[in-house]
Amino acid sequence: MAKHPQASICTLEGLDDFKDVAIFQDYHGLPEFRNAVANFMAKVRGNRVKFDPDRIVMSGGATGAHETVAFCLADPGDAFLVPIPYYPGFDRDLRWRTGVQLLPVHSDSSNNFKITMNAMEEAYAKAAAENIRVKGILITNPSNPLGTILDRATLVDLVAFVNSKHIHLVCDEIYAATVFTQPDFVSVAEVIDEVECNRDLIHIVYSLSKDLGLPGFRVGIVYSYNDAVMRCARKMSSFGLVSTQTQRLVAGLLSDDEFVGRYIFESAERLATRHERFTSGLEQVGIGCLESNSGLFLWMDLHKMLKEQSFESEMELWRVVVNEVKLNVSPGQSFHCAEPGWFRVCFANMDDEVVEIALRRIRTFVAKADLAAKKRRCWQNKLNKLSFKSRIFDDVAMSPRSPMPHSPMLRAQN
Amino acid sequence: MAKHPQASICTLEGLDDFKDVAIFQDYHGLPEFRNAVANFMAKVRGNRVKFDPDRIVMSGGATGAHETVAFCLADPGDAFLVPIPYYPGFDRDLRWRTGVQLLPVHSDSSNNFKITMNAMEEAYAKAAAENIRVKGILITNPSNPLGTILDRATLVDLVAFVNSKHIHLVCDEIYAATVFTQPDFVSVAEVIDEVECNRDLIHIVYSLSKDLGLPGFRVGIVYSYNDAVMRCARKMSSFGLVSTQTQRLVAGLLSDDEFVGRYIFESAERLATRHERFTSGLEQVGIGCLESNSGLFLWMDLHKMLKEQSFESEMELWRVVVNEVKLNVSPGQSFHCAEPGWFRVCFANMDDEVVEIALRRIRTFVAKADLAAKKRRCWQNKLNKLSFKSRIFDDVAMSPRSPMPHSPMLRAQN
């Protein structure tokens, strides 16, 4: 900002354009904004692929982008297949006002939660048996909550799958710039350049909330290779356009190539360092995480700490972690995870000091839990009574389904 | 901007707050933004009424606000009664994704297009006869396209009407600050302070696009007196939140009482001057307009210039005005007007020089039309041939239903 005062319409240097920008109403968006976003999307994907600025459609964050795509592709009652575990906000963003359904596609820890075409075929067949019309597959790549990326082979399989069924593939790539170690991120945009496919079936949801850390600016993008979807989405964008003031600022911000290059590099460096610190800290106390190289979170395995392998026990443990250990993590069941004991831990949104506090609390907790496990073997009853007391307290304060601030919507206090 | 550099997060003075504002995700909105908007809404209404900042719900412009209210109040198939003529964007904004219907409430020039309770009862009874569930009334006050305001008695009647039927009253007051001569604007917010009524039935849609001339900033507001609607609308606002960068700027802008007072005064002065210039210019060539004291447009009566009193003739005249006279006006039928020959003319969005050019063109056109009328009496055939030629040309360039840039959505080029 200090270096480019003209990028803002609120500085003396940019003020001359205030009026033009403030009254700009075209829902195509400012050309410089669309150009800058298209370039940034390419840069984040290693410039191995180009994006057409005329296909950049604005929406109110990824939240609005997902709803827009659902409105465009599906009628009420239609369904999308979504590999679990998935971002819980989808249940509201995609379903609430559109009436579409989300059908889970199984995955579990046996193959590190990888998407398999077997599971996809199963989910598709199950929907068909129930007379549910499947309109597409929704994937997040990199995955929220896993922090993993899809390999090229899986993407090729997914593209082939949607082609064979003539359904759509919606790729949420809002964490594309958070890939912090090898292997490199592979976008569906690259894959469809390499394999034969019907591009009309491919749609990307993007946003600057995660990759640039600007969630307040509400920059959501629908990038569809399908002209009809693009035109429809653009008309719908009237319900959630990006403020022209923000379009202008983002255009300026992203047009500084040197800054953007440095930002992407520096952000990945910092995420890698933080990720390493957190996973090794957990490892020291015997806690494992799914191997990952992207995202702002870890997929932490606490299944050995469950009293029994059930979601009730997971919820019990989650309450202890939140209320007693005082760490804000999300239980796997809120992501529709198929097996209990997994928790999502955000490691990026705090400073180094808080990381150390968090790790210290975990160490203390694990030590206590080890002690308690020993005691439990002696006095099972005593522990039952304690957890009963804690449940009464927690039921007032917490709802089991929306425990975490996943999205602004889920954080409603009223 | 120059006086308050700290109001922006992009100036050296405001840059310290960049991070906090950019990452702010709470969909309640920045407290200073809600306070400022609530105060501004009160000020625009002469401070005769207060607004609670905790009831200010954000949405993507008035477009998003209207859709949100419709989603909150109605199920697909349900209907709102809307007095004609009304803003054509409603047909898309309210109906497209919600599945609700808009049922016209008759009004015509015999009483200067005033809303009557007879017409309201008739429309309500007609809906009942057709088994359509009416969920509310939607009014725009000041009216777009009429440029008139509702008198207190009509508002009292409307509030009584919705109470007696237990349906909702949605008041679009996005032109509240454009009232430029007496009588003063009366908001539904004042009326419900004065009469006995169920406040749960009352909802206001507001925006800064017209009253502050900031359509690019996408600041839409839902202000509902109904707690359940407010909570639901707030959750839905996730699909169209206002950029925090813009919230911050608007908060700063509206917190300068002296500026706001001067702005409201100066804007009304300028609108009054322009309105006077335009109406008197039209009067000189024998063109009348509906008497009005608000809005950014006139409701111009050209029914005497129609070849016959039909909407086909109106469309024919409109094509001549757009393509030959080269004036961008909107035909009454696009506002569902019940009688042909009325046109909406925006008088605010041009400079003084353009006004004179527009008036000159109208004068030339009227003189020509007078001459043509004389000739027509002699050579009816000749004129028919001419207008046929013109029709062929225009059909390619124009669509009859969405001729004007009413809303960003209606301006889609693709």
Side-chain angles (χ1 to χ4, degrees), chain A residues 67 71 95-99 239, chain B residues 63-76 78 80 93-100 135 229 232-233 236 239:
Chain A
E67 190 194 45
F71 266 125
R95 302 187 319 172
W96 192 19
R97 309 198 302 186
T98 64
F239 298 112
Chain B
T63 302
H66 273 293
E67 190 194 47
T68 296
V69 172
F71 266 125
C72 288
L73 297 180
D75 288 320
D78 291 348
F80 287 89
D93 299 351
L94 275 102
R95 302 188 318 173
W96 191 20
R97 308 198 303 186
T98 64
V100 308
K135 289 309 270 295
V229 170
C232 185
M236 284 190 190
F239 299 110

Side-chain angles (χ1 to χ4, degrees), chain A residues 1-2 8-12 15 18 22-28 60 63 67 71 92-93 96-97 213-218 231-232 235-236 238-239 241 243-246 249 408-409 411-412 414, chain B residues 1-2 8-12 15 18 22-28 60 63 67 71 92-93 96-97 213-218 231-232 235-236 238-239 241 243-246 249 408-409 411-412 414:
Chain A
M1 292 299 106
S8 162
I9 53 171
C10 302
T11 57
L12 290 177
L15 208 45
F18 187 93
I23 66 169
F24 183 86
Q25 290 189 73
D26 189 326
Y27 63 54
H28 289 72
T63 303
E67 190 194 45
F71 266 125
R92 244 189 196 167
D93 298 351
W96 192 19
R97 309 198 302 186
L214 301 173
F217 286 9
R218 311 313 300 152
R231 283 195 297 265
C232 185
K235 282 173 194 159
M236 282 189 190
S238 284
F239 298 112
L241 292 166
S243 167
T244 48
Q245 184 199 8
T246 295
L249 175 62
M409 202 147 67
R411 275 163 52 207
N414 47 31
Chain B
M1 291 302 105
S8 162
I9 54 171
C10 302
T11 57
L12 290 177
L15 209 44
F18 187 93
I23 66 170
F24 184 86
Q25 291 190 73
D26 188 327
Y27 61 53
H28 290 72
T63 302
E67 190 194 47
F71 266 125
R92 245 190 193 167
D93 299 351
W96 191 20
R97 308 198 303 186
L214 302 172
F217 287 8
R218 313 310 301 153
R231 281 195 298 264
C232 185
K235 282 172 194 158
M236 284 190 190
S238 283
F239 299 110
L241 291 166
S243 167
T244 48
Q245 183 200 11
T246 295
L249 175 62
M409 204 146 66
R411 274 165 52 209
N414 45 31

Side-chain angles (χ1 to χ4, degrees), chain A residues 145-148 178-182 267-283 287-300 345-350 352 355 359:
Chain A
L146 300 176
T148 54
T178 68
V179 180
F180 49 82
T181 51
Q182 293 290 318
S267 171
E269 286 279 293
R270 290 193 200 176
L271 286 172
T273 306
R274 178 63 65 80
H275 182 269
E276 166 59 24
R277 175 75 196 105
F278 221 94
T279 48
S280 65
L282 290 174
E283 219 178 282
I287 296 176
C289 293
L290 182 70
E291 202 179 326
S292 65
N293 72 334
S294 59
L296 310 173
F297 24 71
L298 293 168
W299 191 234
M300 179 172 70
V345 186
C346 289
F347 63 79
N349 56 346
M350 45 183 144
D352 289 340
V355 170
L359 287 171

